[in-house]
Amino acid sequence: MHPMAGHFISEHYVFNKEQETYSYYGPLNLMTWSVGYHNEHHDFPRIAGSKLHKLKAIAPEYYEGLDSYKSWSQVIYMYIADRTVGPFSRMKRKLSTKTAKKTE
């Protein structure tokens, strides 16, 4: 298992039920075009990955209080070792009534 594979788990698998997505702030962002800045990307999808670190620096009050990771290897370990987390530990959203009416 390659450490960079941890980004797939770290982005959307739920380790904290109060938070849907997570960012990674570690050195591998230099090699992966900053894919670790995941919350920032969801907030501003049109900002290039190479500039997302600037967004975090400009608006730290929005991102510093959120859970994040500094090691994708640690995320893989947590995924394997934590019995409450598994393949179905993804955020599930309920269909809103507005969306339900549009599809009928």
Side-chain angles (χ1 to χ4, degrees):
M1 295 199 298
H2 198 279
M4 283 193 213
H7 94 271
F8 292 109
I9 298 168
S10 72
E11 290 172 355
H12 290 287
Y13 280 82
V14 177
F15 289 89
N16 170 0
K17 294 183 193 280
E18 302 296 318
Q19 189 171 325
E20 184 173 348
T21 62
Y22 307 86
S23 287
Y24 158 79
Y25 304 122
L28 293 177
N29 274 323
L30 297 171
M31 298 173 58
T32 60
W33 295 282
S34 298
V35 298
Y37 289 90
H38 196 68
N39 285 321
E40 294 83 350
H41 164 71
H42 274 263
D43 291 345
F44 297 94
R46 295 194 187 271
I47 294 178
S50 63
K51 307 255 192 268
L52 288 173
H53 70 281
K54 292 180 181 180
L55 173 61
K56 184 178 182 283
I58 292 169
E61 65 274 14
Y62 293 101
Y63 301 106
E64 287 181 355
L66 299 175
D67 287 348
S68 62
Y69 303 107
K70 293 186 178 170
S71 167
W72 279 327
S73 297
Q74 178 192 11
V75 171
I76 293 172
Y77 175 78
M78 289 167 40
Y79 180 79
I80 293 168
D82 188 342
R83 293 177 185 242
T84 64
V85 177
F88 302 104
S89 299
R90 305 255 335 225
M91 181 62 68
K92 294 171 190 77
R93 296 182 187 164
K94 293 184 180 188
L95 193 59
S96 74
T97 56
K98 291 180 183 178
T99 306
K101 289 179 184 179
K102 289 180 184 179
T103 58
E104 293 177 355

